[in-house]
Amino acid sequence: MTRKAALVIGGGIAGIQASIDLANMGIQVYLVEKNPSIGGRMAQLDKTFPTNDCAMCILAPKMIECANHENIRLLTYSELDELTGHAGKFKAKITKKARFIEEDKCVGCGECAEKCPTKVNDEFNAGLGKRKAIYKFFPQAVPSTYVIDPDYCRTLNGKKCGVCEKICKANAVNYEQKDEVLTIEIGAVILASGFDLYNVAPLTEYGWGKIKNVLTAMQFERMICASGPTGGHLKRPSDDKEPERLAFIQCVGSRDIRHKRYCSAVCCMHATKEAILAHEHCPGLSSTIFYMDMRAVGKGFQEYVQRAKDQYAVEYIRARPGRVTENDENQNPVIHYEDTINREFRAEEFDMVILSQALVPAESNLSIAEKLGIGLDEFGFVSNPEGMTNPFGTSREGVFGCGFCQSPMDVPDSVVRASAAASKVAEVLASA
Amino acid sequence: MSVRIGVFICHCGTNIGGIVNVPEVVEYAQTLPNVAFTEGNLYTCSEDGLSSIRNNIKEYDLNRVVVASCTPRTHEILFRQNCELAGLNKYLFEFVNLREHCSWVHMEAHDDATLKAKDLVRMGVAKVSLLTPQEDLSTDVIRACLVIGGGISGLSASLTLASQGYHVALIEKKDRLGGLLKDINRVFPSNEPSSHLLDPLISSSSKHQNIDVYLEAELIDVKGFIGNFTVTLRQNSKTKELKVGTIIVSTGAQELQPVGSFGYNRFDNVMTQLEFEQRFKSDFDGLNRVVMINCVGARIEERKYCGRFCCITGMKNAILLKEANPEAEISILQRDIMACGKIFEDYYRTALEMGIRFIRYNVDRPPDVTGSDNVADKVRVYHELMGKDIEIDVDAVLLTTPLVPGEDNQKLSRIMRIPVGNEGYFLEAHQKLRPVEFPSDGIFLAGCARYPTDISECISQGYAAAAKAAIPMAQGQVITDAFTCEVDPSRCSACGRCVEICPFGAIDWADWKDLKGKTRSVAMVNPTECKGCGLCSSSCLSSAIKLKGFTDEEILAMVNTV
Ligand SMILES: Cc1cc2nc3c(=O)[nH]c(=O)nc-3n(C[C@H](O)[C@H](O)[C@H](O)COP(=O)(O)OP(=O)(O)OC[C@H]3O[C@@H](n4cnc5c(N)ncnc54)[C@H](O)[C@@H]3O)c2cc1C
Ligand SMILES: Cc1cc2nc3c(=O)[nH]c(=O)nc-3n(C[C@H](O)[C@H](O)[C@H](O)COP(=O)(O)OP(=O)(O)OC[C@H]3O[C@@H](n4cnc5c(N)ncnc54)[C@H](O)[C@@H]3O)c2cc1C
Ligand code: SF4
Ligand code: SF4
Ligand code: SF4
Ligand code: SF4
């Protein structure tokens, strides 16, 4: 009999937890992550509700456990090409994209990036900052190996440069490196591809992309995070001043038949958290959250919202703002809304406005679903035809889903789903 | 060999670095006795930080490591393992907490926090010098799991464990399996009869060769530790002993009965959602005008939490009523509608499209139910949008109440030494990353025993808890921490204080021959059961008990340096 093995696709908190559980059961795990590092969205967050643990502080040990576990083979910067076979006996083809850096040589010193002349918008920082063409995905990346972005690197695009190769004392840079294709045999697959952020630019009424002091929630998370582009300093993009009054607009693109009909499930809570954290950063600061229903349903969440009101100067107004304009004099965004209590139209000025944008299934779900041979629902989330009896199932036997790729859910729920999917895989492998 | 200490001081982003002057503490640490290397890290726990520890252990021949950062609760294992990777015995590591013990509690006093950080680091350095290498202990794990509670959570956990090849003892205090779901009529979001879901699970677990079901069984006692628990049950007034390696608690919860609110108990036609589901299965005759009041007994001062799914329960029953009789007038008085995730917003939209009215009420102006004799006939409520009171005629009033903690929680908490949180639900080891585990090893948690959740989530948690229970059983062995207590029999006066005080029952009497060959009874710690809490050692009047890793000498070295 071949050794019991499983493939996990997506190295966010869900994929990480599923991998660790399987590996601890003695199952060989291949963890495939398309980005240069595992960590997923949680790595981008500052702190996390409802306990305000620093996200990286609780995530980093898990990432490292994955990297060091004898039963886990990390395949970062890699993607699945093909899955053949059937439950208990699958074959997967995986492409490990060229990093143009030798993983075993790079010591992560970062001297190359310091000298690289090419600046690129930093996606990890939600576009708020720049990185170089040679870069580490984020400071605590696992693995900590650098990577060259082939879309921007001068040398790889036939221009004169070669700076990083000269600088690197470890001789790790290799412009000739090629993609590698691996074939592995596994008994079951878990998909944990997570989510992407809905593009809010088309919601022109809220002015994102036009009004400087209107940010998305993810941009805000990066801004207040110590390892983010401002080193954790909260400041207005227009003039670098510390804001005193923040507003959050909820359900931006969610619960909206013109955009996404469903509720993104975590934004009521993350807005509350961000307002609390902003107050901790700038003690005089107050926040106003414009919401439709305050969906604080998890363990300890109502208490969290109450604390925000009582201790962190957070005010909740039930309203769906119609538009946001800009005061030309001071670049303050102005929110126009109808007060649902006395039906008055109001316009209120803030220093910054944060949009709780809708969260959508990973863009890559369409192609990965096709390769896996599984169905998606109309939104692009993984569908589970067996419904409640098997909340982790997909339309293909032996392939399971967990985490945000199934439906919007927060970290605790994603972790539960991940362990549950691991149990399903163990069932398949036990009978294989 | 001389002691060579490496001290690694973490900024923890801004958590520590934003308050404590880390570079200053790093420089200070360099001046302490036996310190051969010091360094500050943005995140010592990142791969960068860890590899730096490993490299410097080799480069500087370090034989002791101090990390001054966050909390051992989440990070001690990681740093110890890291030392081990570099070939250093993992018990030659000392943790100094500069976050919870320093920066977070002195946010306003940067200078003093820095001074205190130096004190704490000095104490850590003093202690680490005295630490000695230790070896882990290992014990075998029995490949069987006890599942307590036969609702949907417990059934799910039992079935997956059984199909993975583990033995399961499923105990249920009632005379039937199924729990709450057994009393529920139809289930959202598919609105199919609950029996469609439940019956197959009940019959397969009753038939499964790996599952023993004990109905009308009461848990009396649990002794032992992960891998080797001895469980005592009472069934039909007979007691029975079982041996298991792991335990899953899935004892569920119950619906709140809102005694005295909104005419409950006073009017016959005022009932909870569950009572409604039991009273009217599919025949809703005479229910043409129904008002539901949400958040009864929830999200108030006495009971702050939200019942999570009860909004949807109400909606389900409203939809069923409306389907049976499209003319029926149904109003739901609500505070917020909790329709999270990808399915429930559509469910909510369906309800709205069917003509179910949702009226928001303010908790400070709650609705009022009136009637004559024992029949309610009107609900009056302040309509926020209209800005005035409105009156609705009713045939029945349904009160949407949250689940409340199971009545046995306190008792179970005592028997298994597992914690219960403020609201009375069981408290998990870590709210975010360990939602189905207890702090005590080998005991896990699933379903409404943790917090109200709907069926899909109960099933998920059942499976998740099963995965956690499967891990030690698959490994076959558990490793226990070497920092346990040890009795010096020559000093033991056999007073028995420690035997009584040990919360884990790890201390027992044993015969010991003294130097003169005389045998007497002394206290002995079973190291596999000892959790290293140190209660015995600090209560022993004869100073006969030593906690490894926290000996008197080590602690005094810390104290003396302050
Ligand atoms: C602004 C904001 C704040 C939040 N704050 C909190 C909070 O405070 N507390 C909380 O509990 N939750 C919070 N959340 C929610 C939290 O981020 C999610 O619950 C969690 O990240 C979901 O984890 P996941 O692993 O399912 O998905 P992800 O974190 O999205 O991980 C998915 C991973 O899969 C990879 N991947 C995708 N497709 C492929 C593919 N085809 N092949 C290989 N790899 C692939 C991705 O690169 C990614 O690494 C917040 C969300 C947002 C947007
Ligand atoms: C009115 C109402 C309607 C609902 N409708 C829906 C719906 O439509 N869809 C949906 O998804 N969810 C619904 N739910 C929620 C659903 O019922 C619960 O999520 C689920 O049944 C909880 O399962 P559980 O196994 O965690 O707990 P339980 O069902 O409470 O099971 C726990 C079991 O443990 C046993 N037990 C307790 N203590 C002990 C002990 N000391 N020793 C041994 N056994 C013990 C109990 O007797 C019980 O059998 C509804 C709930 C209510 C109240
Ligand atoms: S590629 Fe070379 S220079 Fe760049 S981080 Fe790695 S080792 Fe340092
Ligand atoms: S070769 Fe490419 S990555 Fe290297 S320094 Fe030049 S542009 Fe940057
Ligand atoms: S969680 Fe809150 S903000 Fe997010 S979509 Fe749902 S209701 Fe809107
Ligand atoms: S889920 Fe229950 S407690 Fe929460 S808002 Fe709805 S009715 Fe109230």
Side-chain angles (χ1 to χ4, degrees):
Chain A
M1 200 182 71
T2 50
R3 188 140 176 250
K4 293 186 172 181
L7 168 65
V8 177
I9 301 171
I13 185 63
I16 288 177
Q17 187 60 54
S19 301
I20 294 176
D21 285 343
L22 287 169
N24 282 339
M25 290 176 192
I27 293 165
Q28 169 69 42
V29 180
Y30 299 90
L31 172 53
V32 171
E33 165 60 53
K34 70 172 164 48
N35 282 332
S37 169
I38 54 171
R41 294 287 172 187
M42 193 174 166
Q44 288 179 285
L45 306 179
D46 179 37
K47 295 188 177 170
T48 52
F49 64 76
T51 45
N52 285 2
D53 286 299
C54 136
M56 191 48 73
C57 304
I58 56 177
L59 179 63
K62 295 243 175 209
M63 297 200 291
I64 288 160
E65 194 177 345
C66 263
N68 292 347
H69 204 295
E70 56 179 5
N71 292 340
I72 301 180
R73 167 119 190 251
L74 264 193
L75 297 166
T76 49
Y77 214 43
S78 303
E79 279 180 54
L80 176 81
D81 292 328
E82 187 183 270
L83 183 77
T84 52
H86 54 84
K89 204 165 172 29
F90 287 116
K91 227 185 212 144
K93 230 165 84 187
I94 292 158
T95 297
K96 208 165 166 349
K97 290 176 280 186
R99 280 179 181 259
F100 304 103
I101 306 280
E102 308 280 351
E103 277 190 55
D104 48 346
K105 289 191 187 152
C106 172
V107 296
C109 67
E111 298 205 12
C112 51
E114 197 123 310
K115 297 283 156 31
C116 168
T118 311
K119 285 192 179 162
V120 183
N121 259 348
D122 190 351
E123 272 311 304
F124 187 80
N125 281 330
L128 280 181
K130 301 272 182 205
R131 62 160 167 83
K132 296 296 180 63
I134 187 165
Y135 67 109
K136 181 144 106 173
F137 196 48
F138 55 93
Q140 307 83 9
V142 171
S144 65
T145 320
Y146 274 64
V147 49
I148 296 182
D149 187 335
D151 291 341
Y152 297 96
C153 164
R154 295 184 189 200
T155 306
L156 292 177
N157 286 288
K159 294 191 201 126
K160 250 179 86 104
C161 182
V163 167
C164 53
E165 188 181 33
K166 278 184 224 115
I167 286 290
C168 177
K169 293 193 195 77
N171 286 328
V173 177
N174 173 4
Y175 301 121
E176 306 297 317
Q177 204 177 53
K178 295 275 172 304
D179 290 358
E180 228 181 289
V181 179
L182 283 81
T183 306
I184 56 173
E185 287 181 14
I186 65 256
V189 181
I190 294 179
L191 179 63
S193 51
F195 66 98
D196 279 332
L197 309 163
Y198 189 57
N199 177 12
V200 292
L203 287 105
T204 47
E205 62 269 34
Y206 292 148
W208 183 85
K210 296 221 175 60
I211 304 174
K212 278 194 166 160
N213 294 324
V214 174
L215 296 181
T216 64
M218 189 51 99
Q219 291 179 315
F220 190 76
E221 293 270 351
R222 293 312 299 149
M223 186 181 267
I224 52 178
C225 185
S227 62
T230 58
H233 293 294
L234 182 50
K235 47 190 188 188
R236 289 170 21 121
S238 69
D239 53 13
D240 285 351
K241 275 205 209 116
E242 236 182 48
E244 283 164 19
R245 295 189 67 221
L246 299 184
F248 292 80
I249 302 181
Q250 298 307 102
C251 308
V252 176
S254 305
R255 304 182 64 191
D256 185 339
I257 43 172
R258 295 165 306 167
H259 298 277
K260 298 292 163 193
R261 292 204 314 271
Y262 58 84
C263 159
S264 296
V266 297
C267 14
C268 279
M269 289 305 290
H270 76 57
T272 298
K273 168 191 75 177
E274 286 145 15
I276 290 178
L277 297 177
H279 184 87
E280 281 182 351
H281 278 252
C282 315
L285 177 149
S286 64
S287 294
T288 304
I289 297 182
F290 293 92
Y291 73 107
M292 301 210 288
D293 292 276
M294 186 35 59
R295 292 187 169 164
V297 296
K299 195 167 180 174
F301 291 7
Q302 286 289 325
E303 294 84 338
Y304 192 73
V305 169
Q306 194 59 46
R307 247 188 305 146
K309 291 182 191 165
D310 297 346
Q311 297 170 25
Y312 296 94
V314 184
E315 177 195 22
Y316 291 83
I317 294 184
R318 193 189 304 279
R320 187 156 202 165
R323 73 206 149 92
V324 180
T325 54
E326 187 175 31
N327 179 341
D328 291 337
E329 278 166 29
N330 51 14
Q331 273 71 55
N332 277 355
V334 183
I335 295 189
H336 302 263
Y337 69 98
E338 184 188 358
D339 188 318
T340 49
I341 305 289
N342 49 26
R343 300 247 124 170
E344 266 173 34
F345 285 95
R346 290 174 186 237
E348 209 170 330
E349 219 172 282
F350 294 91
D351 296 336
M352 265 165 99
V353 168
I354 294 112
L355 307 179
S356 289
Q357 80 273 49
L359 307 177
V360 296
E363 212 184 289
S364 59
N365 265 11
L366 278 178
S367 69
I368 193 86
E370 204 185 300
K371 288 171 193 156
L372 289 173
I374 60 169
L376 300 177
D377 66 17
E378 55 174 314
F379 307 118
F381 291 111
V382 175
S383 62
N384 67 328
E386 289 162 282
M388 281 190 292
T389 45
N390 180 4
F392 346 95
T394 68
S395 53
R396 184 166 184 182
E397 212 187 317
V399 180
F400 304 96
C402 70
F404 214 115
C405 68
Q406 297 186 292
S407 170
M409 61 180 82
D410 60 12
V411 170
D413 286 355
S414 301
V415 166
V416 165
R417 293 293 174 121
S419 298
S423 210
K424 273 288 180 191
V425 168
E427 275 184 30
V428 173
L429 297 183
S431 61
Chain B
M1 200 167 67
S2 68
V3 171
R4 296 179 60 78
I5 305 172
V7 183
F8 298 83
I9 303 179
C10 183
H11 287 254
C12 196
T14 49
N15 279 302
I16 296 170
I19 290 135
V20 171
N21 184 336
V22 172
E24 198 180 310
V25 183
V26 171
E27 205 173 298
Y28 170 76
Q30 188 70 59
T31 65
L32 295 169
N34 299 332
V35 171
F37 179 80
T38 59
E39 179 180 85
N41 316 98
L42 182 59
Y43 294 97
T44 311
C45 63
S46 69
E47 186 45 43
D48 276 359
L50 294 177
S51 59
S52 166
I53 296 180
R54 293 194 300 269
N55 295 337
N56 288 306
I57 287 178
K58 295 197 177 113
E59 176 116 15
Y60 289 86
D61 252 337
L62 305 177
N63 53 23
R64 300 285 191 287
V65 168
V66 174
V67 172
S69 60
C70 51
T71 159
R73 269 188 64 198
T74 52
H75 282 58
E76 184 168 66
I77 297 182
L78 176 77
F79 291 128
R80 279 183 176 178
Q81 278 172 350
N82 191 52
C83 290
E84 210 165 34
L85 281 177
L88 186 68
N89 182 285
K90 66 180 183 188
Y91 293 100
L92 296 176
F93 164 79
E94 178 66 13
F95 212 117
V96 174
N97 188 338
L98 291 190
R99 197 177 71 185
E100 281 82 345
H101 292 181
C102 188
S103 65
W104 277 359
V105 284
H106 307 296
M107 287 206 180
E108 315 298 333
H110 292 203
D111 290 347
D112 287 345
T114 303
L115 277 179
K116 176 166 169 186
K118 290 182 188 170
D119 285 346
L120 291 171
V121 168
R122 189 171 63 245
M123 290 161 75
V125 166
K127 180 178 167 197
V128 83
S129 311
L130 300 178
L131 291 180
T132 50
Q134 307 285 341
E135 291 310 319
D136 284 333
L137 299 156
S138 82
T139 34
D140 291 342
V141 178
I142 299 170
R143 286 170 57 92
C145 180
L146 171 74
V147 177
I148 311 171
I152 187 87
S153 309
L155 288 168
S156 305
S158 303
L159 280 168
T160 181
L161 282 172
S163 28
Q164 290 171 50
Y166 303 106
H167 198 85
V168 175
L170 171 59
I171 66 168
E172 165 58 53
K173 72 170 176 183
K174 297 224 176 97
D175 58 2
R176 57 168 172 77
L177 294 172
L180 262 180
L181 203 48
K182 196 81 189 168
D183 294 324
I184 285 161
N185 181 9
R186 286 167 176 272
V187 292
F188 62 73
S190 62
N191 292 0
E192 63 194 308
S194 66
S195 56
H196 285 189
L197 185 67
L198 196 54
D199 291 354
L201 298 187
I202 293 181
S203 78
S204 29
S205 47
S206 309
K207 281 192 292 230
H208 205 294
Q209 55 173 15
N210 286 347
I211 304 179
D212 291 330
V213 177
Y214 299 86
L215 293 177
E216 293 178 89
E218 191 192 355
L219 183 73
I220 306 287
D221 192 31
V222 173
K223 281 229 156 50
F225 46 92
I226 179 171
N228 195 352
F229 290 106
T230 305
V231 176
T232 315
L233 310 177
R234 183 157 40 223
Q235 195 186 24
N236 307 325
S237 70
K238 279 202 279 288
T239 58
K240 194 173 166 65
E241 232 175 54
L242 305 173
K243 289 271 191 191
V244 295
T246 52
I247 300 176
I248 292 175
V249 179
S250 51
T251 48
Q254 60 217 31
E255 194 196 43
L256 171 74
Q257 308 216 306
V259 181
S261 316
F262 304 106
Y264 187 75
N265 302 92
R266 188 151 70 95
F267 302 121
D268 286 346
N269 57 343
V270 176
M271 65 203 99
T272 66
Q273 296 284 356
L274 185 59
E275 288 160 351
F276 167 77
E277 295 200 19
Q278 290 170 297
R279 247 156 87 175
F280 302 87
K281 289 279 177 195
S282 56
D283 176 10
F284 302 126
D285 271 0
L287 297 179
N288 300 318
R289 297 164 309 169
V290 174
V291 166
M292 299 187 183
I293 305 177
N294 281 8
C295 303
V296 172
R299 305 176 62 198
I300 51 173
E301 201 43 45
E302 304 91 276
R303 194 175 295 100
K304 296 207 175 67
Y305 64 87
C306 158
R308 187 160 184 155
F309 62 78
C310 29
C311 273
I312 315 288
T313 304
M315 251 183 245
K316 169 186 73 181
N317 288 329
I319 290 173
L320 293 175
L321 279 163
K322 203 70 182 171
E323 271 173 356
N325 173 11
E327 301 304 306
E329 288 169 22
I330 319 278
S331 305
I332 299 185
L333 313 186
Q334 47 97 9
R335 289 172 59 195
D336 285 283
I337 287 294
M338 306 300 192
C340 298
K342 75 172 178 186
I343 303 172
F344 293 125
E345 197 65 32
D346 275 352
Y347 202 69
Y348 181 19
R349 210 166 277 122
T350 306
L352 284 166
E353 280 163 7
M354 288 175 96
I356 293 159
R357 275 208 298 175
F358 289 83
I359 300 169
R360 209 179 285 272
Y361 75 90
N362 185 323
V363 64
D364 299 323
R365 303 175 84 153
D368 191 24
V369 180
T370 53
S372 45
D373 300 325
N374 46 6
V375 180
D377 54 24
K378 264 189 188 31
V379 176
R380 169 196 282 274
V381 62
Y382 177 75
H383 195 298
E384 278 210 315
L385 290 183
M386 295 200 222
K388 61 171 193 197
D389 276 342
I390 60 166
E391 259 184 14
I392 312 170
D393 293 330
V394 293
D395 300 319
V397 177
L398 307 194
L399 305 181
T400 312
T401 57
L403 294 184
V404 291
E407 55 196 8
D408 292 346
N409 288 11
Q410 296 298 341
K411 189 179 97 187
L412 294 168
S413 157
R414 267 194 313 278
I415 293 179
M416 286 177 280
R417 302 181 195 94
I418 49 180
V420 167
N422 290 338
E423 325 89 343
Y425 290 101
F426 286 110
L427 186 63
E428 61 272 43
H430 187 277
Q431 250 186 14
K432 244 165 332 245
L433 295 185
R434 298 175 65 194
V436 297
E437 295 165 69
F438 279 110
S440 336
D441 296 334
I443 311 184
F444 309 95
L445 173 64
C448 294
R450 170 180 168 262
Y451 185 71
T453 46
D454 65 11
I455 296 167
S456 319
E457 219 30 55
C458 283
I459 297 175
S460 302
Q461 291 182 21
Y463 273 81
K468 299 294 179 191
I471 289 170
M473 296 195 290
Q475 289 173 346
Q477 277 199 331
V478 282
I479 308 290
T480 30
D481 202 285
F483 281 172
T484 53
C485 279
E486 208 172 40
V487 179
D488 175 353
S490 66
R491 300 187 74 134
C492 173
S493 64
C495 68
R497 285 169 73 99
C498 57
V499 180
E500 245 166 67
I501 210 161
C502 174
F504 305 98
I507 312 186
D508 251 327
W509 297 109
D511 284 341
W512 174 75
K513 245 193 213 131
D514 67 15
L515 289 176
K516 293 174 203 141
K518 240 174 67 190
T519 300
R520 63 183 181 100
S521 190
V522 295
M524 278 296 185
V525 177
N526 177 352
T528 51
E529 288 179 73
C530 171
K531 294 268 174 243
C533 72
L535 277 178
C536 57
S537 128
S538 51
S539 64
C540 175
L541 295 176
S542 318
S543 304
I545 309 186
K546 163 173 105 179
L547 172 57
K548 290 184 221 158
F550 297 89
T551 62
D552 286 356
E553 300 76 53
E554 287 156 3
I555 305 257
L556 285 173
M558 294 170 80
V559 175
N560 289 337
T561 154
V562 188

